[in-house]
Amino acid sequence: MKFGDKIKQLGLRLRFTVGIVSAEWSPKQGDKEAAWKMYIELLTRVTTQALPNESGNEQSALASIHSLFDTTRSVLKEQGQDCIEFTKIAIGILNQVVRPFTTKWHKISLTGDFEDPSICEEFRQELDELQMELRVYMKALAKLAEVEDLTELSEISDFSCVEKTVG
């Protein structure tokens, strides 16, 4: 299968040069391990989890999203050259999806504009859009890692249906 076909199959909306798109998709064990590590990072952060209006902090949310750059770099360095397919996807997501968001909002945060409720509302709306894109990426990572996708499990907020068992 060609890399470009796999990207479409995974539901990712990324742009790549012709050479990369026509390359063969051949993930290795390192790709799976890197995908698992990033999947867990995304699954457990505000990058994909709801930030209700009555809770959370825009500056902290922005910092968490920005930390994806360091986290991704660490994973790439740790896995080395055994995660080329993961690298192609991760770099595309960082540069085409995450970077435009963090660039815009970092500048705004430096001017203290998060004190303005209308700016906070705009941030949260754009965060919701970013989260939708990153959930698609997270699902793609689950497929690449060959693990069960727990995206919907992480969205469950009512645990009243869980039975208590007495041991």
Side-chain angles (χ1 to χ4, degrees):
M1 175 179 284
K2 299 288 184 202
F3 179 76
D5 295 334
K6 187 64 176 182
I7 293 299
K8 287 178 188 173
Q9 183 185 47
L10 293 172
L12 298 171
R13 294 180 299 145
L14 299 172
R15 296 174 310 277
F16 292 97
T17 60
V18 173
I20 292 175
V21 172
S22 62
E24 285 297 316
W25 171 258
S26 56
K28 298 178 182 175
Q29 185 61 33
D31 291 300
K32 294 175 186 178
E33 291 171 13
W36 167 251
K37 291 172 184 176
M38 283 306 299
Y39 173 74
I40 292 301
E41 288 292 327
L42 289 171
L43 186 66
T44 59
R45 291 177 177 267
V46 72
T47 52
T48 59
Q49 302 306 305
L51 183 64
N53 287 332
E54 64 277 358
S55 65
N57 171 284
E58 290 77 15
Q59 190 70 44
S60 296
L62 180 58
S64 181
I65 293 162
H66 186 267
S67 74
L68 288 178
F69 288 96
D70 288 337
T71 302
T72 304
R73 287 182 198 113
S74 293
V75 169
L76 293 173
K77 289 175 188 176
E78 185 178 310
Q79 294 305 130
Q81 297 176 346
D82 290 331
C83 65
I84 298 302
E85 303 302 338
F86 167 81
T87 300
K88 293 173 191 173
I89 295 171
I91 297 303
I93 293 293
L94 287 179
N95 289 335
Q96 295 176 33
V97 178
V98 178
R99 188 176 307 280
F101 180 88
T102 56
T103 299
K104 173 185 177 177
W105 289 104
H106 179 72
K107 185 175 182 179
I108 290 170
S109 75
L110 292 176
T111 60
D113 285 346
F114 280 146
E115 299 301 318
D116 181 339
S118 66
I119 297 294
C120 292
E121 183 178 333
E122 181 183 349
F123 172 85
R124 286 173 184 255
Q125 288 172 350
E126 289 188 22
L127 175 61
D128 285 345
E129 293 169 16
L130 175 68
Q131 288 171 329
M132 285 189 289
E133 288 190 66
L134 291 177
R135 283 185 196 108
V136 173
Y137 174 46
M138 190 169 65
K139 288 174 183 288
L141 291 174
K143 288 179 184 176
L144 178 55
E146 297 179 353
V147 297
E148 179 182 2
D149 180 23
L150 302 175
T151 304
E152 279 73 32
L153 178 63
S154 69
E155 295 170 357
I156 295 174
S157 60
D158 179 13
F159 290 99
S160 61
C161 64
V162 177
E163 280 187 43
K164 289 185 178 180
T165 58
V166 179

